Amino acid sequence: MKDYDNIGDDEIRLIIPEGNSSIVRKWWFWVAVSVVVLAVILLVVWFNTREIESPGLISNPYAHLGAGMQQKAEPALPNIVLNQSACAVVSDTTINDIVLRVYTPQNATPELSMGAIDTADSNIVMAFQAADIRADNHQIVGDFILKGAIVSNGKSKKAFCAIIDGKTYIDNSESTPLLDEAIEKHGDFFRQYPLVINGNMCENKPKGKSIRYALCEKEGVIMVVSSVSRESFHDFAQALADFDVQQAIYLTGGNSYGFCRTEANQLISWGDASEWDDYAEGLNFIVWKSVCSGK
């Protein structure tokens, strides 16, 4: 028998009943496991805390929106380009089963132009036919001011676009002081059909279906929106209103000619320029040019 009474003052001795050594081993094993698990938990908490508190380490910047928001497809107001190159951002969205193609200029300003457009001019980011041309005399329909010069007069179409001192105005009014201001300040002005005014769609007399184009203002951004398929004025205008466009007027549609330059410097064109040779006298465009072009 062991002498349990013979223990010095500076000695610690673990006393267990004989035959119970396996219990001690099991007890120490679970203590060790608990320590390891606790250490792992503390490390995980520490790393997660660092990721939240360090902005540069957040792997998903949209995590705070929740899973449902991450899956939501935003309607087409196109992406903003974070560089200084001039281009057209092109994207599609579907509203009321109508596919809309959205052209948004980046680092470019609008102006009116008359005559054929040279696709080789790299300063031109986007070009769309603006005012309609009469079939009988090939003259522009409605008021048209080009850099302050009066090209034509008329109020058959009441909506208008005025470009004055680099700012674009879209509205619907037979009489507007912006017409005289465009003349005085060497600005631009043309008239077209109204499609959306102050967020409300407008009805128009022309019937039938065609490829449609519109000059729009959405959330303070000026853009051009077209239909991919042939649509009526009514359905196209309603789709624009449901796209939350605040202002929109028509641009020449159907087989009108135009082009744009994308972020990848790809030239995309539509229509056939040669079909408009007979209308050269009244052929006109709204174009966006690079802000660095100086032209």
Side-chain angles (χ1 to χ4, degrees):
M1 181 180 294
K2 295 182 180 179
D3 185 3
Y4 295 115
D5 294 327
N6 187 18
I7 302 174
D9 294 335
D10 57 352
E11 182 181 358
I12 298 176
R13 190 177 298 177
L14 180 64
I15 302 174
I16 60 174
E18 293 202 23
N20 290 330
S21 59
S22 61
I23 296 176
V24 174
R25 287 194 297 271
K26 289 181 181 178
W27 183 79
W28 277 108
F29 170 79
W30 288 114
V31 169
V33 170
S34 299
V35 170
V36 171
V37 171
L38 180 61
V40 170
I41 292 174
L42 291 175
L43 284 173
V44 170
V45 171
W46 181 70
F47 278 118
N48 286 342
T49 303
R50 284 190 62 197
E51 182 173 346
I52 293 172
E53 294 178 350
S54 303
L57 296 177
I58 298 178
S59 58
N60 180 7
Y62 306 104
H64 65 287
L65 297 177
M69 292 293 289
Q70 293 177 49
Q71 299 299 319
K72 182 180 179 181
E74 292 294 333
L77 187 63
N79 301 325
I80 299 301
V81 177
L82 301 178
N83 58 44
Q84 295 303 311
S85 62
C87 66
V89 179
V90 184
S91 60
D92 290 351
T93 189
T94 301
I95 306 292
N96 304 336
D97 295 326
I98 295 176
V99 178
L100 300 178
R101 184 153 294 158
V102 184
Y103 305 82
T104 303
Q106 299 291 316
N107 302 307
T109 56
E111 62 182 55
L112 293 184
S113 173
M114 290 195 66
I117 297 293
D118 185 6
T119 58
D121 185 351
S122 60
N123 290 315
I124 299 178
V125 168
M126 303 194 325
F128 295 83
Q129 286 184 233
D132 288 334
I133 305 172
R134 290 180 54 147
D136 54 355
N137 61 11
H138 300 175
Q139 298 297 309
I140 294 175
V141 178
D143 294 316
F144 193 95
I145 310 299
L146 180 66
K147 295 176 175 55
I150 301 174
V151 177
S152 69
N153 297 106
K155 304 288 191 295
S156 59
K157 299 176 182 180
K158 295 181 175 56
F160 66 85
C161 167
I163 304 171
I164 303 170
D165 292 335
K167 186 171 182 180
T168 304
Y169 304 86
I170 301 173
D171 210 336
N172 184 45
S173 177
E174 185 172 331
S175 177
T176 171
L178 291 173
L179 178 61
D180 292 333
E181 188 175 349
I183 296 172
E184 293 170 4
K185 295 184 177 180
H186 304 286
D188 298 323
F189 186 102
F190 73 95
R191 288 191 181 274
Q192 262 291 1
Y193 293 110
L195 294 174
V196 178
I197 299 298
N198 298 325
N200 300 311
M201 71 156 290
C202 303
E203 293 285 1
N204 288 284
K205 291 182 179 179
K207 303 301 178 182
K209 294 186 176 184
S210 182
I211 299 296
R212 306 293 183 183
Y213 293 88
L215 178 66
C216 305
E217 179 182 350
K218 177 180 169 70
E219 298 177 358
V221 177
I222 302 297
M223 62 187 69
V224 174
V225 180
S226 75
S227 65
V228 173
S229 58
R230 294 165 58 87
E231 303 294 341
S232 67
F233 262 108
H234 174 90
D235 291 347
F236 183 56
Q238 187 63 64
L240 292 176
D242 292 341
F243 184 45
D244 294 330
V245 165
Q246 284 82 48
Q247 309 281 70
I249 65 171
Y250 195 56
L251 296 177
T252 304
N255 64 341
S256 62
Y257 175 73
F259 65 86
C260 70
R261 237 173 272 279
T262 69
E263 299 165 274
N265 201 29
Q266 178 186 12
L267 185 68
I268 301 175
S269 63
W270 48 88
D272 186 350
S274 64
E275 292 186 18
W276 294 87
D277 289 346
D278 292 341
Y279 297 85
E281 186 178 352
L283 189 61
N284 65 92
F285 293 84
I286 180 170
V287 302
W288 280 260
K289 289 186 174 182
S290 166
V291 294
C292 301
S293 68
K295 298 181 180 180

